[in-house]
Each structure stands twice: as structure tokens, then as C-alpha cells.
């Protein structure tokens, strides 16, 4: 059974805007595979977050670490297993 994992992306000094489109393509691929629940950028800070569905933290980490934001060093990713307690 898939669990939810929150991936927080915070830009590093190496961030280059050219990584945005490859990152969006990565997210679209996850969405097509049923792995992405939602994503978005922060409005009050550089960076963003997305929620992926995976069977385990190691799998979620492997998925997130294939994000161009991570592979290029443009952002530091932090991954949390997220147990939703209240939702609409």
C-alpha cells in the first residue's frame, strides 16, 4: 500500500532557472504514473514542495533523488513520511 511522502525543496546557491522545465517534466511523469498527488511553489520563500505516493521511505527517496532539482544540485530536498490526520 502506498504512503504519502512530502518532499520539500529549498533552493541552493547553485540554483539555475534552466532546471525548472526539466523539474516540471519530472513531475508530469510522476503524475502520469500515479505517483504525484500535488505540487506547488512557495509564495513567500524560494522553493516548493510536492507529495508523492510510494511504498516506503527508501522508494520515496529514490524517486525524489531522481528529480532534476536534486541531480543538478539546484535544490536541497528533504523527504518526510506524511500521515494525514485531517483532510477535506
Amino acid at each position: 500500500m502506498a504512503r504519502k511522502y512530502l518532499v520539500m525543496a529549498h533552493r541552493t546557491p547553485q540554483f539555475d532557472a534552466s532546471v525548472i522545465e526539466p523539474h516540471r517534466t519530472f513531475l508530469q511523469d510522476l503524475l502520469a504514473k500515479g505517483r504525484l498527488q500535488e505540487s506547488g511553489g512557495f509564495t513567500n520563500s524560494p522553493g516548493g514542495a510536492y507529495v508523492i505516493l510510494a511504498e516506503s521511505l527508501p522508494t520515496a527517496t529514490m524517486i525524489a533523488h531522481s528529480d532534476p532539482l536534486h541531480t543538478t544540485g539546484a535544490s536541497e530536498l528533504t523527504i518526510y513520511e506524511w500521515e494525514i490526520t485531517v483532510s477535506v
Side-chain angles (χ1 to χ4, degrees):
M1 181 168 120
R3 295 183 155 274
K4 293 181 181 181
Y5 294 87
L6 174 64
V7 181
M8 305 278 291
H10 296 280
R11 292 181 181 176
T12 67
Q14 293 79 27
F15 180 83
D16 185 316
S18 66
V19 77
I20 293 172
E21 281 309 311
H23 167 65
R24 287 182 178 157
T25 299
F26 165 79
L27 292 175
Q28 288 298 325
D29 184 53
L30 289 182
L31 186 63
K33 292 177 179 176
R35 291 274 193 189
L36 179 68
Q37 183 152 16
E38 53 199 354
S39 67
F42 300 138
T43 59
N44 62 343
S45 179
Y50 53 96
V51 177
I52 57 176
L53 303 172
E55 294 71 31
S56 66
L57 181 57
T59 300
T61 300
M62 181 186 69
I63 293 168
H65 283 178
S66 65
D67 184 338
L69 289 178
H70 176 76
T71 61
T72 63
S75 293
E76 182 177 309
L77 303 183
T78 308
I79 305 148
Y80 300 96
E81 185 173 337
W82 199 14
E83 182 178 334
I84 306 296
T85 56
V86 176
S87 183
V88 178

